[in-house]
Amino acid sequence: MTENPLTVPDMQFEVSYTPSTIKIENEELLESLIEQTTEHYSNQVFKFDEENVAEAKQAKTDLNKIAKMIDDRRKEIKADYSQPLNTFEEKMKRYVERIKKVSDDINSGIKLFDESEKAIRIEKIKIEMEKIAEPLNIEPEAIEISTSWINKTAFTTKGEVKGKILDEIHDKMKIVAMQRSQIAADKATITDYAEIAGLDPYAWSGLIDQGWSVADIREKIKQAVEDKRRREQAEKEAEAERQRKKAEYDAAIAEMEREKAVETNQGTLVDPETGELIQAANNEPSVPMTEMDDNPTMTVTLQLTASRQKLANLNEYLVENGISVVPVQ
């Protein structure tokens, strides 16, 4: 870069101006006329009715004309007085804008350079993070890059990462590695505990990732085991109750069958409808007629009560099936 031939002291410049004094000629006369005018109209009595409202309106018009004339003159003097200052300000602003434009262009280049240098420093930090992460068996992205690590002051004059920064990176990664190791150990503990309890180990060990402590999970497992035991006990009791009711039902049915059965000459009980052997007279278990050896002939004495037609139908059935019927007096 060529040296600027002009320096800040060279830019010093003088501005010649003469502070002006604005003086109202015959101000005493103007003051006297204003006083007389305001006193004159202040002393007027207006009833603001149909008779003198026109006079009041005229007085207002006259006063407004005088006020406007004075204010217009003020504006005229102000414009003339301010013109040199306005011209001076516009000229100086244009000079500043020309200087600032060049400065802004240079600043844009500086920002681009700073960004490129920052990108280089970030890449160097990432390389160091990979070196530190590998022996700890974690990925480099396990920790975030701190803004202080990529500052220019975090590097040596040769562009290398300072030892202090490397120590910070190592400490943070070591904490992550220890935390993961502890999590793995906690999961193993919970897995063993859940397997012993007969529960799904993966579901319970997953609670570690949700921030649960080993102690809290073990208490939950204990509660789950107790709940399971109570459910199984309730199911057993329910099944026992079902079996008891079934036994009562079967016994009641058997009792009903005995009540309607008839005793044969051999001392057994037979179902009069099916001919099935229900129970021996000595209360031995009944055996169906079809299961008895040699199918012996039996004589049964029955007393039947039915309509004539039904009895006739029964007799016809007995004859057709070769069953002998002997009237009993």
Side-chain angles (χ1 to χ4, degrees), residues 48-107:
F48 302 105
D49 54 19
E50 294 181 358
E51 294 182 0
N52 69 354
V53 69
E55 295 179 3
K57 290 181 178 181
Q58 184 60 47
K60 182 193 72 171
T61 300
D62 293 342
L63 288 170
N64 288 342
K65 285 181 179 180
I66 296 172
K68 185 177 183 303
M69 179 189 68
I70 296 173
D71 199 47
D72 288 345
R73 185 56 177 162
R74 177 190 65 78
K75 293 178 181 179
E76 180 182 349
I77 297 302
K78 179 181 179 181
D80 291 342
Y81 187 85
S82 301
Q83 183 59 41
L85 177 61
N86 293 337
T87 301
F88 171 76
E89 285 186 340
E90 291 175 1
K91 186 179 297 185
M92 300 303 287
K93 286 179 180 179
R94 285 196 298 271
Y95 293 151
V96 171
E97 288 175 358
R98 289 168 61 184
I99 297 296
K100 287 292 293 179
K101 183 180 183 305
V102 177
S103 175
D104 291 343
D105 292 342
I106 295 173
N107 186 55

Side-chain angles (χ1 to χ4, degrees), residues 214-230:
V214 171
D216 290 340
I217 297 175
R218 292 182 66 175
E219 288 300 319
K220 284 287 185 181
I221 290 177
K222 289 180 181 179
Q223 185 62 47
V225 170
E226 178 62 20
D227 292 343
K228 181 181 178 182
R229 186 193 65 78
R230 290 177 180 177

Side-chain angles (χ1 to χ4, degrees), residues 10 37 129 173 261:
D10 295 331
T37 300
M129 290 174 67
M173 286 191 171

Side-chain angles (χ1 to χ4, degrees), residues 316-325:
E316 183 179 351
Y317 171 82
L318 295 173
V319 172
E320 290 177 354
N321 288 275
I323 301 174
S324 177
V325 179

Side-chain angles (χ1 to χ4, degrees), residues 7-278:
T7 61
V8 173
D10 295 331
M11 285 294 182
Q12 298 296 328
F13 57 93
E14 298 293 335
V15 178
S16 298
Y17 69 99
T18 302
S20 301
T21 300
I22 300 176
K23 181 180 180 182
I24 301 176
E25 300 293 344
N26 301 322
E27 185 175 0
E28 292 182 359
L29 177 59
L30 177 61
E31 175 69 26
S32 176
L33 292 174
I34 295 299
E35 180 67 26
Q36 293 176 22
T37 300
T38 55
E39 184 178 356
H40 170 75
Y41 283 100
S42 298
N43 292 331
Q44 296 295 317
V45 178
F46 299 103
K47 296 181 180 180
F48 302 105
D49 54 19
E50 294 181 358
E51 294 182 0
N52 69 354
V53 69
E55 295 179 3
K57 290 181 178 181
Q58 184 60 47
K60 182 193 72 171
T61 300
D62 293 342
L63 288 170
N64 288 342
K65 285 181 179 180
I66 296 172
K68 185 177 183 303
M69 179 189 68
I70 296 173
D71 199 47
D72 288 345
R73 185 56 177 162
R74 177 190 65 78
K75 293 178 181 179
E76 180 182 349
I77 297 302
K78 179 181 179 181
D80 291 342
Y81 187 85
S82 301
Q83 183 59 41
L85 177 61
N86 293 337
T87 301
F88 171 76
E89 285 186 340
E90 291 175 1
K91 186 179 297 185
M92 300 303 287
K93 286 179 180 179
R94 285 196 298 271
Y95 293 151
V96 171
E97 288 175 358
R98 289 168 61 184
I99 297 296
K100 287 292 293 179
K101 183 180 183 305
V102 177
S103 175
D104 291 343
D105 292 342
I106 295 173
N107 186 55
S108 297
I110 293 173
K111 286 184 177 180
L112 290 175
F113 173 79
D114 288 343
E115 290 298 324
S116 64
E117 289 293 300
K118 181 179 178 181
I120 293 173
R121 292 195 293 270
I122 291 176
E123 191 61 29
K124 289 183 177 181
I125 288 293
K126 288 182 177 180
I127 292 173
E128 296 298 333
M129 290 174 67
E130 291 178 356
K131 294 178 181 178
I132 297 172
E134 184 175 0
L136 294 175
N137 197 27
I138 64 172
E139 65 279 5
E141 297 79 12
I143 63 172
E144 294 183 357
I145 297 177
S146 174
T147 54
S148 62
W149 298 349
I150 57 177
N151 289 335
K152 189 175 181 179
T153 55
F155 290 76
T156 64
T157 54
K158 293 183 178 181
E160 301 298 329
V161 182
K162 289 184 177 180
K164 178 182 178 181
I165 302 301
L166 295 176
D167 290 341
E168 289 184 18
I169 296 173
H170 182 270
D171 290 343
K172 286 195 173 185
M173 286 191 171
K174 187 176 181 181
I175 291 174
V176 172
M178 292 174 62
Q179 289 174 340
R180 291 187 178 182
S181 177
Q182 183 62 50
I183 289 174
D186 291 346
K187 284 186 174 182
T189 299
I190 294 302
T191 296
D192 293 342
Y193 195 76
E195 288 178 344
I196 293 173
L199 301 176
D200 179 13
Y202 298 103
W204 289 99
S205 62
L207 294 177
I208 294 294
D209 294 326
Q210 300 179 24
W212 287 63
S213 68
V214 171
D216 290 340
I217 297 175
R218 292 182 66 175
E219 288 300 319
K220 284 287 185 181
I221 290 177
K222 289 180 181 179
Q223 185 62 47
V225 170
E226 178 62 20
D227 292 343
K228 181 181 178 182
R229 186 193 65 78
R230 290 177 180 177
R231 287 195 304 269
E232 291 176 349
Q233 181 64 28
E235 290 174 358
K236 289 180 180 179
E237 292 176 355
E239 179 62 24
E241 180 65 16
R242 285 194 295 269
Q243 293 296 333
R244 184 186 65 79
K245 289 183 178 180
K246 184 177 182 303
E248 291 180 353
Y249 174 79
D250 292 343
I253 293 299
E255 181 64 25
M256 291 175 61
E257 290 177 347
R258 284 194 297 271
E259 289 177 356
K260 69 178 182 179
V262 295
E263 185 175 354
T264 66
N265 292 339
Q266 288 78 14
T268 58
L269 297 179
V270 178
D271 189 324
E273 295 180 359
T274 64
E276 180 182 1
L277 180 64
I278 297 175

